[in-house]
Amino acid sequence: MAIKEIKTTPFKDQKPGTSGLRKKVKVFQQPHYLENFIQAIFNAIGGASGKTFVIGGDGRFYNSRAIQTIIKMASANGASALYIGQNGILSTPAASCIIRKHKLSGGIILSASHNPGGPDGDFGVKFNIENGGPAPEQVTERIFEEACKIERYLISDAPDLDLTVQGETVVEQTKVEIIDPVSDYADLMESIFDFNAIRSLFSKGFRMKYDAMNAVTGPYAKEILVKRLGAPESCLMHAEPLEDFGGFHPDPNLKYAKELVQELFSDNGPDFGAASDGDGDRNMILGRNFFVTPSDSLAVLASNAQFVPEYKKGLAGIARSMPTSRAADKVAEHLGISCYETPTGWKFFGNLLDAGRITLCGEESFGTGSDHIREKDGLWAVLFWLNLLAATGKSVEKIVRDHWHKYGRHFYSRHDYEALDPDIAKKLMDDLRAKLPTLKNTTVSGLQVRHADDFSYVDPIDGHVSKHQGIRIFFENEARLVFRLSGTGTVGATLRVYIEHYEPDHSKHDMPVQKALEPLIKAADIIAEIKKRTGRYQPDLIT
Ligand code: G1P
Ligand code: ZN
């Protein structure tokens, strides 16, 4: 074995986005592309020497290839130990759990989350720090700086490892252990929730469907739901991780988890349905004939946290990303705890969780989590709901309706316009920003604007300032529009419009969501000129 120093030149497009570096597989397959980025990570953290990392991914195409390269590079850079998920598999929440449990220096997660996979799909690399969470902006900015000036990287010429067998070996001076990707995570879940109550729910014939979308959570769901909780194996759908996700778009929402949705909305459907995304950090929750919006889910979990053993002692606080509906704020107010509003992306929750300011946090984009790790956690959310269903004996629909009755309902939807010409999308946002000072007190589509701004966040723990995190337009009656461009897409630009309207009157809670939001949807188009500028008459995706 020998360590080789390879000369290279920078790629200018290696700026991490909302969640790591995401590109088409073909971009990552270019010579030196992955290597440059990995070396940039090591350079940005003062070298890998003496450090310990977990490495794994969502099993998508190029996952194993990338892991072999990273093992050789981490060894050549002097890492003292590497923990690799067997078969290269590690869900994002499991990776976070392992970093924390084994007190590692960090982790490299190979995933493009909910983006499609396969040779023509997407790939991604995300670096997590020692608290188990995504690298904060200061670190991702340093990684980008390093990537922009890289001249060389180190790599061992050691042969590929067999990732299919658990066990320990040594590469250069580095101890490399292939580990069971599931057990640490499953143990953590068992320590949080009332598994006895959930087991007894299943033993009474409670029916559930869980869709792993041919992505990473299949083995986790099998161990936890079937083996430890006694659910029948037939409750699992698409539970084998596949390199191309079987052609699925592994994003758990009403559009892409179609089969699951059909089952839950059929006659005599199951009591409970759930799905998770490519890397296992997102969740969708369904009841029989009932969809729970992720924003509502966060609020419901917060309001019922006392039913879960781990959270019985009370919540320190709640945080939600800015575009997420303000349903959780009402619960925080009721509980007399703080509710923090952060920019989009899980990395902004890390400091608040580390400082003990918050216990639960979530995003409208099907992400929910707590201080048990530093990532959002799909199966955790599913287990939380199962725990609530077991403890209350209520249906999903009843729990949510009771919640609306108590706190009022936040009608909420996100409209995505995908693959836009980046120049047109940028101009739309720039012009909207320029218009902000003139909007106050104007009436648009019958709604009066109370306040409009460009969201800027000052981290309450380290004072770091993040600007331009989305344009917010507040109307009377707690209605709100938010506009921002996606930071995770790989094709053109995606405009996200977040639409929210608060309805305290429960006689109006049955209105169809898009109908309740109609005046706001019209206002969004008038203010941002979406149709005129993009030529799009409908969003590509409504969630
Ligand atoms: C999207 C979501 C965001 C989430 C991220 C990673 O980012 O909107 O909430 O944290 O994926 O899962 P975006 O594409 O909007 O930048
Ligand atoms: Zn994900």
Side-chain angles (χ1 to χ4, degrees):
M1 271 186 258
I3 294 172
K4 294 194 288 185
E5 187 178 314
I6 310 288
K7 284 208 164 41
T8 186
T9 50
F11 293 88
K12 294 293 177 202
D13 64 345
Q14 295 196 324
K15 189 176 171 58
T18 312
S19 186
L21 184 69
R22 263 183 222 177
K23 301 283 172 196
K24 289 276 162 219
V25 167
K26 299 226 151 54
V27 174
F28 270 102
Q29 283 173 323
Q30 297 172 84
H32 310 303
Y33 193 89
L34 172 70
E35 291 85 345
N36 274 19
F37 191 68
I38 298 299
Q39 188 66 51
I41 293 175
F42 293 149
N43 295 350
I45 59 169
S49 179
K51 295 187 176 151
T52 53
F53 301 101
V54 69
I55 304 168
D58 60 16
R60 66 178 61 224
F61 181 79
Y62 207 55
N63 189 54
S64 301
R65 193 64 257 135
I67 290 176
Q68 298 288 359
T69 301
I70 298 169
I71 293 171
K72 290 169 201 178
M73 290 190 65
S75 309
N77 278 275
S80 65
L82 302 176
Y83 299 87
I84 320 287
Q86 188 178 10
N87 296 313
I89 290 287
L90 269 181
S91 76
T92 291
S96 184
C97 159
I98 290 167
I99 294 171
R100 294 171 67 77
K101 181 166 177 179
H102 301 282
K103 301 195 167 39
L104 308 183
S105 319
I108 298 177
I109 302 173
L110 292 324
S111 167
S113 185
H114 50 284
N115 295 11
D120 297 319
D122 291 348
F123 191 72
V125 178
K126 197 169 77 155
F127 177 63
N128 281 30
I129 58 171
E130 65 191 350
N131 73 353
E137 268 191 350
Q138 297 91 312
V139 178
T140 55
E141 279 159 13
R142 266 204 316 272
I143 294 173
F144 183 51
E145 279 164 29
E146 291 292 337
C148 286
K149 62 178 193 209
I150 195 161
E151 291 174 348
R152 57 178 265 288
Y153 61 83
L154 298 177
I155 190 160
S156 162
D157 67 358
D160 282 357
L161 295 187
D162 181 359
L163 303 180
T164 65
V165 188
Q166 289 180 30
E168 211 177 295
T169 168
V170 173
V171 179
E172 302 297 345
Q173 307 291 314
T174 308
K175 183 186 94 164
V176 181
E177 194 176 334
I178 313 289
I179 57 168
D180 171 7
V182 176
S183 57
D184 283 332
Y185 177 80
D187 291 349
L188 178 62
M189 292 303 109
E190 197 158 356
S191 75
I192 295 174
F193 298 105
D194 188 346
F195 269 36
N196 284 332
I198 303 174
R199 215 176 283 123
S200 117
L201 187 69
F202 280 121
S203 72
K204 288 184 208 135
F206 174 85
R207 290 186 301 135
M208 165 181 187
K209 275 279 174 195
Y210 177 78
D211 190 348
M213 304 191 89
N214 293 324
V216 80
T217 55
Y220 295 86
K222 236 177 244 172
E223 171 66 25
I224 297 170
L225 298 174
V226 178
K227 278 211 197 127
R228 299 199 187 192
L229 290 169
E233 182 112 28
S234 60
C235 84
L236 304 181
M237 297 166 73
H238 309 117
E240 290 307 323
L242 300 177
E243 281 205 329
D244 64 349
F245 307 121
F248 266 126
H249 190 148
D251 199 1
N253 59 41
L254 293 175
K255 182 172 173 182
Y256 296 126
K258 213 185 265 154
E259 249 177 87
L260 175 75
V261 173
Q262 270 166 6
E263 282 223 29
L264 268 292
F265 283 78
S266 64
D267 297 340
N268 196 28
D271 303 291
F272 180 55
S276 210
D277 72 329
D279 62 330
D281 57 359
R282 293 188 172 199
N283 73 90
M284 175 170 69
I285 301 295
L286 301 168
R288 187 181 297 141
N289 289 307
F290 198 81
F291 165 65
V292 186
T293 67
S295 297
D296 276 350
S297 181
L298 173 65
V300 167
L301 301 188
S303 165
N304 292 284
Q306 73 277 8
F307 291 112
V308 173
E310 173 69 14
Y311 309 115
K312 239 188 204 109
K313 55 187 184 293
L315 306 176
I318 310 173
R320 59 164 175 81
S321 65
M322 180 275 283
T324 303
S325 102
R326 288 159 294 174
D329 302 38
K330 300 272 178 212
V331 178
E333 200 175 84
H334 176 79
L335 296 173
I337 56 176
S338 301
C339 187
Y340 297 85
E341 183 174 49
T342 58
T344 296
W346 211 260
K347 58 180 175 248
F348 294 100
F349 295 133
N351 276 350
L352 295 167
L353 290 163
D354 283 351
R357 298 268 191 111
I358 58 169
T359 309
L360 298 185
C361 43
E363 295 193 272
E364 52 65 43
S365 52
F366 299 82
T368 335
S370 90
D371 58 359
H372 67 293
I373 53 171
R374 294 295 179 270
E375 288 280 4
K376 54 186 177 249
D377 191 343
L379 271 166
W380 169 91
V382 174
L383 291 165
F384 203 136
W385 271 95
L386 281 170
N387 197 145
L388 292 193
L389 296 171
T392 61
K394 292 185 194 173
S395 69
V396 172
E397 177 168 355
K398 176 89 174 99
I399 290 177
V400 177
R401 286 194 180 280
D402 285 354
H403 186 92
W404 293 341
H405 205 99
K406 182 168 174 185
Y407 295 101
R409 176 172 184 189
H410 288 77
F411 284 94
Y412 185 86
S413 183
R414 188 179 97 187
H415 289 195
D416 291 343
Y417 298 83
E418 294 169 352
L420 299 175
D421 177 329
D423 294 334
I424 291 176
K426 185 174 175 299
K427 178 114 180 31
L428 182 151
M429 289 300 286
D430 288 347
D431 290 351
L432 188 53
R433 197 170 290 118
K435 217 184 203 178
L436 289 176
T438 66
L439 286 177
K440 193 170 171 171
N441 294 331
T442 57
T443 300
V444 194
S445 163
L447 301 162
Q448 203 192 26
V449 177
R450 283 283 159 85
H451 175 77
D453 66 13
D454 185 358
F455 181 57
S456 183
Y457 178 65
V458 182
D459 187 301
I461 311 301
D462 65 15
H464 183 76
V465 181
S466 304
K467 291 188 179 157
H468 305 306
Q469 295 297 321
I471 288 173
R472 311 187 288 185
I473 302 175
F474 298 91
F475 299 86
E476 55 202 322
N477 299 331
E478 297 185 48
R480 185 182 69 160
L481 286 173
V482 174
F483 298 83
R484 60 179 283 282
L485 296 182
S486 157
T488 58
T490 55
V491 184
T494 296
L495 172 68
R496 303 204 195 283
V497 185
Y498 307 80
I499 307 145
E500 178 186 3
H501 158 72
Y502 178 59
E503 183 53 75
D505 177 354
H506 55 85
S507 72
K508 296 186 184 153
H509 286 172
D510 281 331
M511 220 196 267
V513 178
Q514 301 302 319
K515 179 93 196 126
L517 297 175
E518 216 168 62
L520 278 162
I521 295 170
K522 277 199 189 127
D525 189 54
I526 294 169
I527 294 174
E529 303 175 336
I530 301 169
K531 291 191 185 107
K532 188 173 136 203
R533 287 165 181 262
T534 66
R536 302 283 180 85
Y537 282 78
Q538 288 298 328
D540 297 279
L541 181 64
I542 296 181
T543 48

